[in-house]
Amino acid sequence: MKKRLISLTVAASMVFCGAAFGEEIKVGGGGAPIDGYLKPVKEAFEKSTGININLNFSSATLALKQLMAGELDASAAGLAYEDLVKTAAKENIQVPQPSAYVASVIGASKIYTVTHKDNPVAALSMEQLKGIFTGKITNWKEVGGNDAPVLIVLSSINPATNAAFKKIAMADAPFAADVVDAGRFEDVREKVAANPEAIAFGPVTMVDATIKTVKTPDVARPVILVTKGEPTPKVRKLIAFINGEGQKYIRQ
């Protein structure tokens, strides 16, 4: 009988430990919040709390749709919540009750403008940014560069970053019709690095020595974590970690 009690105690302890260390947070989103905020803190957060972060890379709008369907604990986006809802609507993703969701700010992300590293243009004004990305400025010589056509590289799978840049830098004017389509920000970087006439924009995680960062007025947007209702205790732990200890792992 004594052996059986010991066995039951051990088994119960194993179940308790399994539950404690088997907790998981499913988070989806696009490149700016996933690569810039969640991936950098993932290992440290898991080690500190025993809660696993299951990252699902998609886009801010698709992640919101998955959150509404109950497939995620939280969705991440690199723009204000009201703008996320508007951007989702343009993709026929409707949020029936926007007030049923809570957006927690986990940071602010600057959007960088980048060109080929040999491009002589060092700085662009907000007016010049708008002119380039709307297609009104079509030659680099119009902004002090070489006599060469401007080649716009635009990610097709990061609607949140596109919407934020469009609102802040372009006063919501439409993007030029003639662009080079790219996928993730790594793909954007590669295309810019391979084309002397290219220009693009993206988060800090896209920037490296293979391309050139152009000086511009600040183009920054909030990074949010959206939950259905108030964040659960485990999601609150993640938000607190990102805003606290996690800051040392995040590139600004």
Side-chain angles (χ1 to χ4, degrees):
M1 183 69 177
K2 189 174 181 180
K3 286 184 178 180
R4 186 178 178 187
L5 285 172
I6 292 172
S7 297
L8 287 172
T9 302
V10 172
S13 176
M14 289 175 68
V15 169
F16 175 78
C17 290
F21 290 97
E23 280 193 282
E24 180 182 73
I25 302 173
K26 293 181 180 178
V27 186
I34 294 290
D35 293 335
Y37 282 79
L38 295 166
K39 276 186 180 179
V41 306
K42 185 178 188 297
E43 184 178 351
F45 174 78
E46 291 176 344
K47 186 176 181 180
S48 173
T49 64
I51 302 171
N52 182 60
I53 303 176
N54 183 342
L55 296 177
N56 296 264
F57 182 88
S58 54
S59 70
T61 49
L62 180 55
L64 181 62
K65 182 179 180 180
Q66 292 172 320
L67 176 66
M68 290 190 290
E71 297 169 10
L72 297 173
D73 297 303
S75 67
L79 76 173
Y81 176 65
E82 58 269 25
D83 294 325
L84 173 62
V85 172
K86 291 175 185 176
T87 302
K90 291 176 182 177
E91 298 181 15
N92 296 317
I93 300 172
Q94 303 297 330
V95 184
Q97 292 181 295
S99 61
Y101 297 85
V102 174
S104 302
V105 177
I106 59 172
S109 177
K110 183 177 177 180
I111 302 175
Y112 292 82
T113 298
V114 297
T115 63
H116 189 275
K117 62 182 180 179
D118 294 333
N119 192 316
V121 175
L124 291 167
S125 68
M126 201 70 89
E127 185 179 353
Q128 288 172 326
L129 282 178
K130 182 179 178 181
I132 288 172
F133 285 98
T134 57
K136 290 182 180 178
I137 293 175
T138 59
N139 193 297
W140 281 108
K141 68 180 180 181
E142 297 176 64
V143 291
N146 298 325
D147 184 3
V150 174
L151 186 68
I152 300 169
V153 180
L154 191 65
S155 169
S156 60
I157 62 170
N158 285 285
T161 300
N162 292 351
F165 186 88
K166 183 169 174 280
K167 180 178 181 178
I168 301 166
M170 300 166 58
D172 265 334
F175 284 107
D178 187 15
V179 301
V180 174
D181 185 47
R184 295 187 65 167
F185 287 118
E186 292 90 340
D187 186 36
V188 174
R189 180 175 58 221
E190 289 172 4
K191 282 182 167 57
V192 172
N195 292 281
E197 298 84 20
I199 187 170
F201 58 81
V204 67
T205 52
M206 183 185 74
V207 178
D208 70 10
T210 66
I211 55 178
K212 175 182 174 179
T213 302
V214 178
K215 185 178 180 181
T216 68
D218 278 351
V219 180
R221 60 336 192 355
V223 178
I224 59 174
L225 207 58
V226 183
T227 54
K228 191 170 185 178
E230 292 295 329
T232 61
K234 61 186 179 182
V235 175
R236 283 203 301 270
K237 285 182 181 179
L238 175 59
I239 293 169
F241 189 88
I242 291 172
N243 288 324
E245 183 186 340
Q247 288 297 305
K248 63 186 178 184
Y249 305 106
I250 295 167
R251 288 175 63 192
Q252 300 294 340

